[in-house]
Amino acid sequence: MLPHLALLLAVILLGLSFVGIRAIMMDQDAPASLGFLRYGIATLMLLPFLWRRRFIMPPLHIVAVTAALGVLQFGLFHLFVNTALEEIPASRGAVIFALIPILTMLIAAMAGRDTLNTIKLFAAILSFIGVALAIGEKAFAEGNASTGWMGELLFFMAVCCGATYNAFASRLMQNRSVVLMTIIGMSAGTMAIFPFAYSEGLGGVIRGYNTEDWLWILYLAGPAAAFSLFLFNWGLQQLSPSQAAIYVPIAPIMAAAFGALILDEHLSSLFLLGLACAVSGPIILNWRRAAETPPS
């Protein structure tokens, strides 16, 4: 049960991070600078955990692949999401975000990293329906209509980045230090996003943050990045890509719940039904796996 609990806690922390990002972006519209600070500080927070710990450095090609995946997950993903949110409402983006389990399963199956079957697809689709029910009313309201498809396209590209990371990172984590692999990926993503942050005027953006913004940044870097990504990567190490990715749709629903509690945002009348569907996805998929496991 520990890997499942780790994944659940990781996506709950991620859900609250959406509220923090939204609050900061209202003060400073600088998505690359926020991403650079978030993952840069998170990397520094993880470094002490390698101090005086014995670990084996992975082969160079493993480091290169991990770094490339880090650019996708911690660099391009952040840029695509925050740029897309300038075009479409966060609730609509969250519905697209819920496609991650389905895309993860498809990519992992095509790459030979996981198997695909009817139960997995049903669980993933059920989770997607749960997100659509919980926040779809707000996402597709008349007042939220966008002028084009660029926002949706960018968010879908972000989802493809996240799904690719989930599909390939699981195998890379096997028998290796999760902290080290997380640091490699996060460092690569931070360096990749730095030129975009510099072009935004990183120094001026930093000086423009107030105390509340910095408290959110510390949360985004610590519990919602360093800790939650360690938990998620550890869960990926213990489970298959599909078993881990099926938890992801819970994050936007948690974001909607935290948004209602903290920012006094409106919740859909179907929120509880949507939450039940989203939670049912992981239960169905992982209950089936547990039932098939012979007793020791």
Side-chain angles (χ1 to χ4, degrees):
M1 288 297 296
L2 284 179
H4 300 285
L5 292 175
L7 288 165
L8 181 60
L9 178 57
V11 297
I12 291 174
L13 293 172
L14 177 61
L16 180 55
S17 74
F18 292 157
V19 179
I21 292 172
R22 197 177 313 158
I24 294 173
M25 292 289 287
M26 290 172 63
D27 293 334
Q28 290 276 0
D29 187 12
S33 298
L34 177 57
F36 175 77
L37 287 174
R38 177 184 184 182
Y39 294 120
I41 296 173
T43 302
L44 295 177
M45 288 179 172
L46 285 176
L47 282 175
F49 291 95
L50 291 180
W51 183 253
R52 293 185 177 180
R53 291 192 62 176
R54 298 179 60 183
F55 61 87
I56 300 175
M57 194 68 183
L60 185 58
H61 72 280
I62 296 295
V63 173
V65 173
T66 304
L69 290 174
V71 171
L72 290 178
Q73 176 70 15
F74 308 114
L76 295 180
F77 181 91
H78 192 93
L79 280 177
F80 289 153
V81 166
N82 286 281
T83 305
L85 290 178
E86 295 177 354
E87 303 289 333
I88 62 174
S91 52
R92 189 180 304 178
V95 175
I96 302 172
F97 186 80
L99 290 171
I100 283 184
I102 298 175
L103 290 177
T104 297
M105 292 176 188
L106 294 175
I107 294 172
M110 289 188 293
R113 301 299 177 104
D114 202 357
T115 58
L116 189 64
N117 56 42
T118 305
I119 293 295
K120 288 181 180 179
L121 281 177
F122 174 74
I125 292 172
L126 185 62
S127 294
F128 172 75
I129 291 174
V131 176
L133 287 173
I135 55 184
E137 176 185 313
K138 181 181 177 182
F140 301 103
E142 292 183 5
N144 286 334
S146 57
T147 57
W149 290 96
M150 182 56 67
E152 286 83 355
L153 178 60
L154 286 172
F155 219 107
F156 182 74
M157 290 170 62
V159 166
C160 289
C161 290
T164 302
Y165 179 87
N166 293 339
F168 288 93
S170 177
R171 187 78 58 88
L172 293 175
M173 298 286 175
Q174 297 299 319
N175 302 317
R176 296 188 174 96
S177 168
V178 176
V179 174
L180 176 62
M181 300 298 282
T182 303
I183 288 175
I184 293 173
M186 201 178 291
S187 300
T190 303
M191 289 186 289
I193 207 173
F194 175 73
F196 300 95
Y198 182 80
S199 67
E200 290 177 347
L202 179 61
V205 172
I206 291 175
R207 289 190 295 272
Y209 287 140
N210 57 35
T211 302
E212 183 180 347
D213 292 333
W214 278 110
L215 290 175
W216 274 119
I217 289 172
L218 290 176
Y219 171 79
L220 293 175
F227 183 55
S228 68
L229 288 169
F230 168 78
L231 290 176
F232 193 85
N233 284 337
W234 183 74
L236 273 174
Q237 184 188 57
Q238 305 298 317
L239 304 172
S240 69
S242 58
Q243 283 181 293
I246 197 68
Y247 283 91
V248 174
I250 297 176
I253 296 184
M254 290 294 100
F258 287 128
L261 290 173
I262 298 174
L263 303 178
D264 197 27
E265 295 182 344
H266 170 70
L267 282 181
S268 166
S269 57
L270 295 175
F271 177 80
L272 292 179
L273 177 60
L275 176 61
C277 289
V279 172
S280 296
I283 292 175
I284 291 172
L285 179 58
N286 293 299
W287 171 81
R288 178 178 175 272
R289 289 290 184 94
E292 291 177 349
T293 304
S296 57

